[in-house]
Amino acid sequence: MLDRLLALLAPHHCYSCGLTGTLLCEKCKKHITATSFRSCVVCGRPTTENNCQRHRLPYQQAYVVSPRQGVVARLLDDLKFQRVQAAAHTAAELLEARLPVLPPQTVIVPIPTIARHVRRRGYDHMKLIGRAISRRRRLPMRCLLRRRTNVTQHVAATAVQRRRQAQRFFRAVGQIDGQAHYLIIDDIFTTGSTIKAAATALRQAGARYVDIAVVARQEITHS
């Protein structure tokens, strides 16, 4: 409600073309979603499936909107660091446009945000994105993951450290249906350790079908 009121008093402008009224106008959103992400989300090798066959992963399919650059990077940074809550709806639109037709028994599962980040922003950005996709696809969203720690991986210096941290990150909560199709969503894929740990937690709790969807793939220097 507050975000909508502020938008009336100080209208948003399209990050790409400057058009008044929204963070990304329809034309600019379509420009982003019309360009397929044709790389393995893990290693960056060219592929049409976002997963190449070199990796053993706890999820089947990966869906990615774009690399973390340009207006997509600005959108996510403003959502997470500048309290631009309207960016959650725009990020959800981009992510939902990238997804294929999903099985009717699909459950949207957002990666849980660290509690102190929620307190600082005043909202859980991943829950906002998850709810928006849930409404648009008419699928349930369930918060089936809990963090075991309140530590962010971004303090880790190397990919190896991030993977070790992620092993201790999540536990599954609530009832897991072995016949359901779980779609884990996150904002940024860096090394993949976080979302891999989340998928592993669901699989260990009984989930058989797990896919992932992320807004942006962050390029990193592997150590």
Side-chain angles (χ1 to χ4, degrees):
M1 179 66 72
L2 177 60
D3 194 71
R4 289 196 293 269
L5 179 60
L6 291 174
L8 292 174
L9 298 175
H12 296 300
H13 297 276
C14 178
Y15 285 167
S16 185
C17 70
L19 185 69
T20 300
T22 182
L23 295 177
L24 274 178
C25 69
E26 291 300 320
K27 181 178 179 181
C28 292
K29 279 188 289 192
K30 288 179 181 178
H31 177 73
I32 293 171
T33 57
T35 304
S36 299
F37 185 88
R38 297 185 177 275
S39 301
C40 173
V41 71
V42 177
C43 67
R45 291 183 175 87
T47 177
T48 59
E49 299 295 330
N50 292 168
N51 276 339
C52 66
Q53 300 302 311
R54 297 170 180 262
H55 315 288
R56 295 183 62 184
L57 300 168
Y59 49 84
Q60 285 81 36
Q61 298 294 323
Y63 305 102
V64 186
V65 175
S66 82
R68 185 171 179 264
Q69 61 188 21
V71 296
V72 173
R74 181 182 173 188
L75 181 77
L76 295 177
D77 286 349
D78 281 359
L79 173 62
K80 297 174 70 174
F81 306 120
Q82 301 301 322
R83 299 182 182 176
V84 182
Q85 190 169 338
H89 183 75
T90 305
E93 290 179 325
L94 294 175
L95 190 53
E96 192 269 338
R98 177 66 77 224
L99 295 172
V101 176
L102 298 171
Q105 67 272 31
T106 297
V107 177
I108 308 297
V109 182
I111 289 287
T113 303
I114 291 173
R116 69 174 180 273
H117 293 175
V118 176
R119 291 192 296 269
R120 184 175 68 241
R121 295 169 190 147
Y123 54 82
D124 185 328
H125 70 294
M126 287 313 305
K127 282 186 180 179
L128 294 178
I129 293 173
R131 288 184 187 125
I133 294 174
S134 173
R135 288 194 297 268
R136 293 174 68 88
R137 286 298 180 102
R138 297 182 179 180
L139 294 168
M141 184 195 83
R142 296 181 62 197
C143 298
L144 295 173
L145 295 167
R146 294 287 185 275
R147 287 185 177 268
R148 294 181 182 274
T149 69
N150 199 30
V151 176
T152 177
Q153 281 191 310
H154 297 295
V155 300
T158 68
V160 171
Q161 288 175 341
R162 289 173 65 90
R163 285 192 291 271
R164 288 174 179 169
Q165 286 181 358
Q167 293 173 359
R168 305 187 299 272
F169 263 25
F170 301 109
R171 61 184 177 89
V173 296
Q175 185 174 358
I176 303 297
D177 183 354
Q179 299 305 311
H181 185 107
Y182 294 97
L183 179 68
I184 301 175
I185 60 168
D186 202 2
D187 54 352
I188 301 170
F189 187 111
T190 305
T191 64
S193 298
T194 297
I195 210 160
K196 183 178 179 181
T200 298
L202 289 183
R203 293 293 295 270
Q204 290 176 343
R208 295 175 59 192
Y209 310 103
V210 180
D211 291 340
I212 68 167
V214 296
V215 180
R217 206 298 186 181
Q218 173 69 56
E219 295 297 332
I220 63 168
T221 301
H222 293 281
S223 300

